Amino acid sequence: MTKPLDPQMFDPACPSSVTPIRIGDKWTAMIVICLEDGPRRFSEFLVPLHHVTPKVLTETLRALERDGMVTRTAYPEIPPRVEYELTPLGRSLLDLVDACRTWGDKHLSQLIEARDAYWQRVDSGH
Amino acid sequence: MTKPLDPQMFDPACPSSVTPIRIGDKWTAMIVICLEDGPRRFSEFLVPLHHVTPKVLTETLRALERDGMVTRTAYPEIPPRVEYELTPLGRSLLDLVDACRTWGDKHLSQLIEARDAYWQRVDSGH
DNA sequence: CAGAATCCACATCGATACTG
DNA sequence: CAGTATCGATGTGGATTCTG
């Protein structure tokens, strides 16, 4: 069985939030990472993705389903249960996530330094 | 000397426009590609980037400058001349561009097929 | 030539309330 | 539980006009 997702999985203070690379829309990469170890239910995503609303989560998952990145399986039970799982195509995004992480590990600190220096110059009146 | 940029460098019909990966904002990746072979002037970007407005081009270049990706050199001449050039940090983005291209070459057709199939299912009334 | 200024259309994202 | 429906804030990108 797959373990529960860590609520602290995505630290809002993490500098990766300033990365210039983006996969899909705002929550896409995090959802893909959540699905790395196996299928997940709708409500499971709400735990690590603290501030996502059901509406936006649904939209993002639908887009992933539309593009063949995830499969959606609804079980006809009460209460309802729906599971999302990465397809091989969706799993290929994990390589990109890794590439972005690698780039960030190597270069993000330079970007942040450059940005700080830029504002120093600007704020101190040209 | 660097050769003039090809006006057809970025084909609007190119399927890469549906890629789920994005670097910076809309025109950033294309600008970085334009700078691959050496420094370029403001007006040079306007040739391959057919539909960019000066305002948006300026904003994008400023953001790249702010983040240490490009240097901006203004020559005090009349008429004015300004040159933009990739820094080593900006040049590191070329690796990501390549990673995105590689992903696209391998997987973009699957994405497009999945999307078409999805709309088939939806349009023909579920 | 290389932009700055202004206005505006659109899409994404979020807050809130409600439902099969 | 897993959404849907509605509304509104925000921000990006584009069109147009003007300038050192």
Side-chain angles (χ1 to χ4, degrees):
Chain A
M1 260 312 293
T2 54
K3 292 178 184 175
L5 294 169
D6 178 8
Q8 308 303 327
M9 199 168 172
F10 303 109
D11 180 2
C14 175
S16 73
S17 56
V18 299
T19 189
I21 315 123
R22 185 161 147 181
I23 298 175
D25 46 22
K26 181 171 179 181
W27 305 94
T28 304
M30 287 180 265
I31 288 173
V32 170
I33 292 171
C34 288
L35 288 170
E36 180 164 12
D37 294 331
R40 296 288 179 184
R41 300 184 58 175
F42 187 87
S43 52
E44 284 190 273
F45 296 113
L46 300 174
V47 176
L49 277 45
H50 306 284
H51 294 309
V52 76
T53 61
K55 175 200 158 199
V56 174
L57 180 56
T58 301
E59 288 170 351
T60 310
L61 287 168
R62 287 281 189 285
L64 283 166
E65 187 193 1
R66 165 176 56 85
D67 289 347
M69 303 289 185
V70 306
T71 55
R72 178 183 183 275
T73 312
Y75 298 92
E77 308 170 355
I78 293 177
R81 182 165 59 96
V82 178
E83 283 194 343
Y84 296 90
E85 187 170 13
L86 283 180
T87 63
L89 181 58
R91 200 159 279 280
S92 75
L93 289 178
L94 287 167
D95 295 340
L96 283 171
V97 171
D98 276 347
C100 296
R101 278 184 172 147
T102 301
W103 185 91
D105 289 344
K106 281 182 74 172
H107 304 290
L108 214 47
S109 59
Q110 294 177 61
L111 186 157
I112 292 169
E113 278 174 40
R115 193 177 286 191
D116 287 349
Y118 180 89
W119 290 127
Q120 294 274 320
R121 267 175 282 148
V122 173
D123 289 346
S124 67
H126 164 296
Chain B
M1 261 310 293
T2 54
K3 291 178 184 175
L5 295 169
D6 178 8
Q8 308 303 326
M9 200 168 171
F10 303 110
D11 179 2
C14 175
S16 73
S17 56
V18 300
T19 190
I21 316 123
R22 185 163 147 179
I23 298 175
D25 45 21
K26 182 170 179 182
W27 304 93
T28 303
M30 286 180 266
I31 288 173
V32 171
I33 293 171
C34 288
L35 289 170
E36 181 164 11
D37 294 331
R40 296 286 179 184
R41 301 183 57 173
F42 187 87
S43 51
E44 284 189 273
F45 296 114
L46 299 174
V47 177
L49 276 48
H50 306 285
H51 294 310
V52 77
T53 61
K55 175 203 161 200
V56 174
L57 180 56
T58 301
E59 287 169 353
T60 309
L61 288 167
R62 286 282 188 284
L64 283 165
E65 188 192 1
R66 165 177 55 86
D67 289 347
M69 303 289 184
V70 306
T71 55
R72 177 182 183 277
T73 312
Y75 299 92
E77 309 169 354
I78 293 178
R81 183 165 59 98
V82 178
E83 282 193 345
Y84 296 90
E85 185 169 15
L86 282 181
T87 64
L89 181 58
R91 201 158 278 281
S92 76
L93 289 178
L94 287 167
D95 295 341
L96 283 171
V97 171
D98 276 346
C100 296
R101 277 183 171 150
T102 303
W103 187 90
D105 288 344
K106 279 183 75 172
H107 304 290
L108 213 47
S109 60
Q110 295 177 61
L111 186 157
I112 291 169
E113 279 174 38
R115 192 177 286 192
D116 287 349
Y118 180 88
W119 290 126
Q120 294 273 320
R121 267 176 280 146
V122 172
D123 290 346
S124 66
H126 163 287

